[in-house]
Amino acid sequence: MDVKLWLFLRTTFMIALLTGLLMAMGYLLGGARWMTYMFWFAVGMSFLSLWYSDQLVLKMMKAKIVSREEAPELYEIVEKLSKRAGLPMPRIAIIDDPTPNAFATGRNAKHALVTVTTRILELLDRDELEGVLGHELTHVKNHDILVGTIAGALAGAVVYIAYITKYLAFFKVIFGGLSLDRFIYALLIAITAPIAAIIIRSAISRRREFAADEGGARLSGKPWALASALLKLDEAVKKLKEEAAAKKKKPLGNPGLAHLFIVNHFEGDRVSQLLATHPPTRERIAHLREIAKDMGVEFPY
């Protein structure tokens, strides 16, 4: 089976599971009517996250869309890679943030938005930046920006509604309207649904990160540069975490959007791989080493 088709079918199935979790919670609390409400809620969430994802991210991350005159080198790189990928030129935004990172969002290639932080522009050289931006443009080409946004929105909704479900179940069983057996089922799903939602979202993200790494390596023609960039980003994020821990501060950024970035700086070294949205850096580099061998390119790492 074609890899892209397999990814599409697998992702569609997982998004259907997230929708099913919402519907199950609705049914346990209010029967068939609430199950229907939850279905339409999931549809509405998917539509809103799809249609307005770029606008929401711009506001939430305080990103600024920049012109060619404001970021000439960045524009030149994105334009060159977009042409190689057969994509229209996306909008480019910059976030004033000390965390080095990059991501892409938008409902399709024509409405794509590629965003970088000020720190990543300072940290990486041109070759490394090409690898990172090639990775993000591959996400655009593979429709990952659509999938990631919808999966993230639905997973977030499942977690939030499960939190409310626990308290509603207690209220309804005390004051009537919910039988004891249905209360037990509601409580069980309220506890397990958030874990399942996070695992499903993470499984969607991890597989697509490997595909985007390969696309970034081939678009830039420099798999070694993307590997170097990932190492630099990993080390920089670890240093920021250590500094934040020493000052007893939380990591910067929005954890709800962390799965969109090329490096998820909210994941620690001990995070279970079932819950991680990104593969470990060492696995990504090993994958890039195999791609370099296939391309006939020297790989020093």
Side-chain angles (χ1 to χ4, degrees):
M1 184 185 291
D2 180 72
V3 175
K4 287 185 178 180
L5 177 60
W6 166 242
L7 275 175
F8 171 77
L9 292 174
R10 187 168 176 261
T11 302
T12 301
F13 175 70
M14 289 183 174
I15 289 177
L17 281 179
L18 285 172
T19 303
L21 284 172
L22 284 170
M23 292 172 68
M25 284 187 282
Y27 178 77
L28 287 169
L29 283 178
R33 179 183 294 181
W34 274 92
M35 183 176 70
T36 305
Y37 290 161
M38 285 299 181
F39 170 77
W40 288 112
F41 173 77
V43 171
M45 283 289 296
S46 299
F47 175 79
L48 289 173
S49 61
L50 162 63
W51 209 256
Y52 298 106
S53 60
D54 52 344
Q55 298 175 42
L56 289 171
V57 169
L58 281 171
K59 289 180 181 178
M60 292 174 71
M61 302 298 294
K62 297 180 181 178
K64 179 192 173 187
I65 293 179
V66 293
S67 64
R68 186 184 297 272
E69 291 71 27
E70 291 173 299
E73 185 179 29
L74 187 57
Y75 253 83
E76 183 186 335
I77 293 171
V78 174
E79 190 171 48
K80 178 181 72 174
L81 294 174
S82 297
K83 286 179 180 177
R84 286 183 186 174
L87 294 168
M89 179 69 183
R91 289 170 299 158
I92 299 175
I94 295 178
I95 302 170
D96 186 9
D97 195 312
T99 306
N101 235 318
F103 69 96
T105 188
R107 64 181 182 269
N108 53 38
K110 290 183 180 179
H111 298 87
L113 174 71
V114 174
T115 305
V116 296
T117 63
T118 48
R119 181 58 183 139
I120 201 172
L121 295 175
E122 298 166 352
L123 183 67
L124 304 185
D125 63 30
R126 185 183 175 105
D127 288 339
E128 292 164 344
L129 194 57
E130 282 188 17
V132 167
L133 292 170
H135 171 105
E136 297 306 330
L137 288 170
T138 301
H139 275 314
V140 174
K141 188 172 184 178
N142 292 347
H143 309 292
D144 295 342
I145 52 176
L146 161 66
V147 172
T149 303
I150 292 176
L154 289 177
V158 168
V159 172
Y160 180 72
I161 291 171
Y163 177 78
I164 294 173
T165 296
K166 286 187 289 185
Y167 295 100
L168 281 176
F170 277 111
F171 180 84
K172 292 188 75 173
V173 79
I174 291 170
F175 294 97
L178 190 68
S179 63
L180 184 59
D181 59 339
R182 185 167 285 188
F183 165 74
I184 293 170
Y185 290 138
L187 202 58
L188 282 173
I189 201 166
I191 293 169
T192 58
I195 299 170
I198 293 169
I199 291 172
I200 291 168
R201 186 195 68 182
S202 301
I204 291 171
S205 299
R206 286 196 306 273
R207 181 65 179 172
R208 290 178 179 273
E209 287 303 315
F210 278 127
D213 282 345
E214 180 171 357
R218 293 187 184 278
L219 273 181
S220 66
K222 303 163 186 173
W224 54 268
L226 178 53
S228 175
L230 290 173
L231 283 171
K232 281 187 178 181
L233 294 175
D234 202 39
E235 287 302 315
V237 166
K238 284 179 182 177
K239 187 176 179 181
L240 282 172
K241 284 181 179 178
E242 289 171 1
E243 291 173 357
K247 296 176 182 178
K248 296 181 179 179
K249 291 183 178 179
K250 293 181 179 180
L252 296 171
N254 188 325
L257 299 174
H259 67 287
L260 296 175
F261 286 89
I262 188 169
V263 173
N264 188 339
H265 57 280
F266 284 90
E267 291 176 351
D269 296 331
R270 298 181 182 179
V271 155
S272 165
Q273 282 308 295
L274 278 175
L275 303 179
T277 60
H278 290 56
T281 300
R282 64 181 181 278
E283 290 184 17
R284 296 174 74 174
I285 291 174
H287 182 231
L288 286 167
R289 190 179 291 112
E290 292 300 315
I291 294 164
K293 188 184 296 183
D294 182 61
M295 293 171 64
V297 175
E298 188 176 341
F299 196 92
Y301 300 100

